[in-house]
């Protein structure tokens, strides 16, 4: 170190180069140099300046983290925050920021609503102006969502206000609930199939228990009176419940009950009212310890406020998407020990509702969602749950000694309820997949056993659950295993490997393994399976690419096919390709072969598959180069289009999922038509009905129906734009009519084909059916069952599409609005006058009733997370 010089002009430094004028950071100032920090900070002093966060930053952090720590007493957090906010009332920036943040928490983090309400209650005892300002802002926000028909947001704000019932003069929130009930009665009277009225009743019923757990007194009478009224709607079965029942069936044939959520709530609340409203699961952080001097409770003597003015519109805003009744679904319904609340307990609906709102609100960040679910026991009353990660076997010993509800089970149950929601989930299914994956990564020892029991329940009921839900389960199961090394206790199901392929459990195993192979490769999957499963993965599946049938020495047109294959690989021009194909057609005609065009089609499509087999991008490139030839061949007859499908699936025989993906791309290129795909699957290649048990056939037909429906939704959206010219609108309207005709024809073909199987009247029967003319063989019965399950799914899809069309404006209404717009623009040009297009709330709204993409990221301290690839391989104990 001695050759490092401290003097400025020495030129010293590493290597002796220039820059000697720069002082080295490693050396301190001389001891006698005056310290600029003042007394107590000079040489020999150990004190350092303490950094204190600004008050606003500190309060924001405390408010965003309220109740998140299991080691902090939440009552102390609430009291401290309330006093800090009240003491800093004259800090305008802090007050505005905190008021907005508190209401954002109410809307975006439903678990924290009781704690947000408690802060307001206690702040009111310190300074009434704080509570008054928050109530005013909450009222404005509630009116905004009420006018817009944002029912989830309205429900959460009414929950917040209900918890503040003790703060209000007079009846508080009850008059608003009465007005909502009046609108629900009007809607139900107008149509027995209305579901908006059910949603309003659900909001009312979910608000009542929070009112009864508030600091208010004297709310029992109004609550009982309101319950008597809601019983009229809540206890009456809805006409559309059968359409969305996850376990279809009637009478003795129904495998298990799926009660209506509002019917459950009605019975549960009536039971709570007979027991003086314990509502034990809702926390009461507003409760303050009794004062030693015996003085009055500050909450009882605090200032009362008028309830914010809320006007319920009449008529009420209609939804922009069709609504359906909600049924209660659980994957922990038949256990020896109650690990989730019984449907007799109001906690089953209250916990589920809070979790579902959290899951669907935080869809922009799966990590935050999983963290909230992992910490769910922090947000409810003490004693609601057992300790986290308590083994299931230990719960049997604890039965009768308090709650046996596992927080992991309740959270997993809520996610499954959304993943298995009919007729469609709120968000894309992959979002719910990712929430379960993240939950398992956060707490594998706790969540993995819960998921294992959920998987076993779903597998046991795979033959009775709605078919669409069965395939959603297959997709999730295979996707989830792919994130954890494809590990599962396959030995539990080993006896089912020997079943017929028509048996639902065997079909599930085959489909799940096929999905796993698509997510990985055959050799890896085969290595995770016990010996009895090995035969399900054929030698063909283990090959990197399928065999090219024209490589065989005795294959007809072998040389011609090799020529076409090389032409595709060398990117020869379209004219050269046409010459090759024409030569094949002429040769087939000379040989007297039937339908030479099909031979040409088969050779071209098989060669495209062979050249493009390396990857999907290679496949798309080959299709793009040969697109004109394929369009020309497909346009000559419907049989050639269907033969394209046959060629694709013949080449990808061992990997039908890849073939289905290619068919989807060909549909995008309009080489194939939706009708040709459906007819190929259900009319010409159903194999006597055996094809109905194959997951890839369902995937192909379902994918086609979704594509057609999406096209209709896009046209509906474009047609409702307010800035369209009359000519543009008429073109879109006519196109929509034509697409609707094609859509109806597609559903008609599916209906007719499946009805033939359910009645046993198909001309072609499988081998077992041919040997039993009365159709009583086990195989024939299984085919009828499969057809009935298919039929129910596609009838529901057709009903949803009809419901979509009822939510949009008529042609006459839209034309009148366009003419009014054009007239106003002519009279008031430059004045910015315009008339909105009346379309029952459809202006500028995407009416895609499929899986939503989720809302934009919120700003309550939860960062937006980008999608990731395959999660780190873990080995949880299922």
């Amino acid at each position: 170190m001695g050759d490092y010089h401290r003097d400025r002009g020495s030129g010293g430094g590493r290597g002796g180069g220039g820059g000697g004028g720069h002082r080295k950071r490693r050396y301190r100032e001389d001891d006698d140099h005056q310290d600029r920090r003042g007394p107590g900070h000079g040489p020999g002093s150990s004190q350092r300046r303490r950094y204190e966060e600004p008050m606003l930053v500190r309060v924001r952090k405390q408010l965003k983290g309220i109740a998140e720590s299991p080691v902090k007493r939440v009552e102390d957090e609430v009291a401290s925050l309330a006093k800090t906010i009240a003491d800093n009332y004259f800090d305008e920036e802090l007050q505005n920021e905190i008021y907005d943040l508190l209401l954002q928490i109410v809307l975006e983090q439903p678990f924290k609503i009781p704690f947000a309400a408690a802060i307001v209650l206690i702040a009111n005892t310190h300074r009434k102006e704080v509570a008054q300002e928050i109530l005013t802002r909450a009222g404005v926000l509630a009116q905004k969502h009420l006018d817009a028909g944002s029912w989830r947001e309205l429900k959460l704000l009414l929950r917040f206000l209900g918890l503040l019932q003790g703060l209000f003069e007079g009846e508080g929130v009850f008059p608003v609930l009465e007005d909502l009930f009046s609108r629900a009665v009007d809607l139900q009277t107008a149509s027995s199939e209305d579901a908006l009225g059910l949603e309003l009743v659900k909001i009312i019923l979910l608000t009542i228990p929070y009112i009864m757990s508030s600091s208010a007194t004297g709310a029992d009478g109004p609550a009982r009176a309101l319950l008597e009224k809601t019983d009229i709607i809540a206890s009456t079965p809805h006409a559309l419940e059968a359409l969305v029942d996850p376990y279809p069936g009637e009478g003795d044939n129904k495998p298990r009950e799926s009660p209506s959520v509002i019917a459950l709530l009605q019975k549960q609340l009536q039971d709570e009212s007979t027991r003086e409203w314990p509502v034990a699961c809702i926390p009461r952080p507003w409760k303050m310890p009794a004062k030693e001097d015996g003085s009055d409770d500050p909450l009882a003597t605090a200032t009362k406020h008028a309830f914010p003015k809320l006007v319920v519109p009449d008529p009420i805003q209609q939804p922009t998407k069709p609504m359906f009744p909600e049924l209660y679904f659980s994957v922990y319904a038949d256990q020896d020990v109650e690990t989730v609340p019984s449907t007799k307990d109001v906690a089953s609906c209250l916990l589920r509702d809070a979790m579902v709102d959290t899951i669907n609100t935080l869809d922009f960040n799966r990590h935050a969602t999983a963290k909230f679910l992992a910490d769910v026991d922090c947000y409810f009353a003490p004693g609601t749950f057992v300790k986290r990660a308590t083994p299931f076997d230990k719960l049997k010993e604890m039965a009768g000694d308090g709650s046996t509800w596992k927080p992991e089970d309740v959270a997993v149950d809520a996610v499954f309820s959304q993943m298995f929601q009919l007729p469609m989930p709120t968000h894309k299914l992959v979002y719910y997949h990712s929430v379960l994956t993240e939950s398992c990564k956060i707490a594998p020892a706790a969540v993995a056993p819960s998921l294992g029991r959920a998987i076993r329940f779903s597998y046991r009921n795979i033959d009775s659950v709605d078919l669409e839900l069965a395939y959603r389960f297959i997709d999730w199961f295979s996707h989830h295993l792919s994130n954890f090394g494809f590990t599962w206790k396959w030995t539990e199901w080993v006896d089912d490997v020997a079943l017929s392929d028509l048996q639902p459990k065997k079909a599930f195993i085959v489909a799940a393994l096929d999905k796993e192979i698509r997510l990985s490769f055959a050799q890896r999957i085969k290595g995770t399976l016990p010996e009895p499963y090995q035969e399900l993965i054929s030698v063909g599946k283990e090959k990197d690419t399928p065999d090219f049938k024209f490589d065989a020495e005795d294959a007809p047109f072998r040389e011609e096919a090799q020529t076409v294959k090389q032409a595709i690989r060398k990117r020869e021009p379209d004219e050269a390709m046409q010459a090759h194909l024409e030569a094949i057609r002429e040769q087939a005609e000379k040989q007297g072969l039937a339908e030479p065009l099909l031979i040409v089609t088969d050779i071209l499509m098989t060669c495209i598959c062979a050249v493009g087999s390396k990857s999907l991008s290679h496949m798309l490139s080959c299709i793009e180069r040969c697109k004109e030839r394929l369009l020309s061949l497909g346009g000559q007859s419907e049989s050639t289009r269907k033969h394209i499908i046959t060629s694709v699936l013949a080449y990808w025989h061992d990997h039908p999922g890849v073939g289905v993906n290619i068919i989807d791309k060909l549909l995008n290129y309009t080489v194939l038509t939706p009708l040709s795909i459906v007819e190929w699957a259900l009319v010409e290649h159903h194999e006597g009905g055996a094809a109905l048990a194959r997951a890839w056939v369902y995937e192909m037909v379902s994918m086609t129906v979704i594509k057609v429906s999406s096209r209709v939704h896009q046209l509906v959206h474009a047609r409702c734009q307010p800035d369209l010219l009359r000519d543009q609108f008429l073109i879109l309207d006519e196109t929509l009519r034509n697409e609707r005709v094609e859509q109806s024809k597609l559903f008609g073909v599916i209906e007719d084909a499946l009805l033939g199987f359910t009645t046993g009247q198909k001309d072609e029967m499988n081998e077992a059916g041919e040997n039993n003319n009365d159709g009583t063989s086990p195989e024939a019965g299984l085919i009828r069952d499969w057809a009935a399950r298919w039929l129910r799914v596609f009838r529901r899809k057709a009903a949803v599409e009809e419901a979509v069309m009822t939510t949009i404006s008529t042609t006459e209404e839209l034309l009148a609005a366009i003419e009014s717009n054009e007239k106003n623009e002519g009279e008031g040009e430059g004045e910015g006058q315009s008339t909105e297009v009346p379309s029952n709330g459809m202006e500028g709204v995407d009416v895609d009733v499929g899986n939503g993409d989720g809302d934009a990221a919120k700003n309550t301290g939860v960062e937006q997370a980008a999608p990731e690839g395959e999660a780190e391989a873990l080995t949880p104990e299922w």
Side-chain angles (χ1 to χ4, degrees), residues 356-489:
V356 165
D357 285 341
T358 299
I359 292 166
N360 288 331
T361 301
L362 295 177
D363 61 288
F364 55 87
N365 191 328
R366 65 186 186 276
H367 302 289
T369 305
K371 185 67 170 66
F372 274 116
L373 294 181
D375 297 337
V376 66
D377 52 349
C378 294
Y379 306 108
F380 291 91
T384 301
F385 300 102
V386 296
K387 186 180 178 181
R388 299 182 194 178
T390 300
F392 182 77
D393 293 338
K394 189 175 180 180
L395 292 179
K396 297 179 181 179
E397 303 171 6
M398 299 170 54
D401 297 331
S403 172
T404 56
W405 302 342
K406 286 174 61 65
E408 306 86 17
D409 281 22
V410 176
V412 168
D413 212 21
V415 180
F416 269 87
S417 74
Q418 295 306 286
M419 194 162 61
F420 287 177
Q421 185 181 22
L422 289 174
M424 75 288 293
T426 304
H427 299 295
K428 290 185 177 181
L429 288 168
V430 71
Y431 166 62
Y432 302 109
H433 295 191
S434 64
V435 168
L436 290 173
T437 298
E438 293 301 326
S439 298
C440 206
K441 290 167 67 178
I442 289 174
V447 177
S450 295
L451 283 177
R453 282 182 283 111
I455 290 169
R456 292 178 182 96
F457 172 87
S458 300
Y459 181 76
R460 284 196 304 272
N461 294 279
I462 199 71
D463 54 349
S464 57
V465 75
D466 184 90
L467 186 62
E468 185 172 358
L469 299 187
Y471 284 120
R472 288 188 198 174
F473 174 54
I474 291 172
D475 288 342
W476 168 76
F477 178 73
S478 54
H479 184 193
H480 191 76
L481 293 191
S482 74
N483 286 299
F484 299 98
F486 295 99
T487 56
W488 173 248
K489 295 180 179 178

Side-chain angles (χ1 to χ4, degrees), residues 158-184:
L158 288 179
R159 179 177 305 170
F160 174 66
L161 294 172
L163 286 163
L164 296 174
Q165 179 73 9
L167 205 61
F168 299 123
E169 302 168 345
E171 296 179 279
V173 74
F174 281 108
V176 177
L177 301 184
E178 293 279 0
D179 289 345
L180 288 175
F181 177 72
S182 298
R183 302 297 182 273

Side-chain angles (χ1 to χ4, degrees), residues 508-690:
F508 167 84
I509 292 172
V510 172
L513 293 179
D514 182 62
K515 289 277 186 180
E516 287 189 9
I517 292 171
R518 289 164 68 176
L519 293 168
S520 182
F521 52 92
Q523 292 90 337
R524 182 184 180 190
I525 302 305
K526 198 168 186 178
T528 66
L529 299 173
E531 182 60 34
Y533 290 85
Q534 302 288 321
E535 63 184 23
L536 299 180
I537 299 180
S538 64
V539 175
K541 290 182 183 293
E542 297 185 57
K543 295 179 180 179
D544 292 335
T545 57
D547 294 330
F548 184 53
K549 66 181 181 180
F550 294 105
D551 282 340
E553 294 293 336
D554 57 346
F557 299 96
R558 178 180 181 275
E559 293 182 4
E560 291 80 1
Q562 295 289 350
T563 302
V564 172
K565 183 180 177 182
Q566 290 301 317
I568 296 172
R569 181 168 284 142
K570 293 178 180 179
R571 302 171 183 262
E572 291 187 5
D574 189 59
E575 296 77 9
M577 178 63 70
Q578 175 61 22
H580 295 318
L581 298 178
E582 188 63 29
I584 295 171
R585 187 184 66 80
E586 291 175 357
Q587 185 176 345
E589 288 177 348
K590 289 179 181 178
Q591 296 179 12
L593 299 176
E595 300 186 88
L597 198 59
L598 298 187
I599 296 173
V600 173
T601 302
D602 180 57
I603 291 174
L604 176 60
M605 197 64 238
T606 303
C607 291
I608 290 174
C609 288
V611 176
S613 62
K614 188 175 181 180
S615 69
L616 181 60
S617 59
H618 282 75
M619 188 69 208
L620 293 177
S621 177
C622 291
I623 292 174
E624 187 69 40
R625 291 200 298 272
C626 302
K627 178 183 173 182
E628 295 304 322
R629 292 298 97 225
L630 291 171
L631 287 171
S632 176
L633 289 170
Q636 295 189 40
S637 71
E638 195 66 23
S639 61
T640 54
R641 282 201 187 101
K642 294 173 185 174
H643 205 74
I644 290 173
I645 302 173
T646 302
S647 299
V648 171
L649 291 171
Y651 182 81
W652 292 104
H653 172 75
D654 291 305
H655 298 277
V658 178
V660 169
N661 200 4
I662 293 170
I663 288 168
D664 180 46
K665 306 309 175 189
L666 291 170
L667 181 61
N668 291 344
Y669 282 108
T670 67
V671 172
L672 301 176
T673 62
L675 202 59
S676 64
I677 295 174
V678 169
E679 288 182 342
W680 184 94
L682 299 181
V683 178
E684 298 182 6
H685 292 79
H686 52 69
E687 299 178 31

Side-chain angles (χ1 to χ4, degrees), residues 44 86 110 120 140 159 186 197 267 299 343 355 424 455 477 571 587 599 659 819 871:
V120 178
V140 172
R159 179 177 305 170
D186 295 341
K267 293 177 182 177
L299 292 179
T343 52
M355 290 189 187
M424 75 288 293
I455 290 169
F477 178 73
R571 302 171 183 262
Q587 185 176 345
I599 296 173
E819 291 171 357

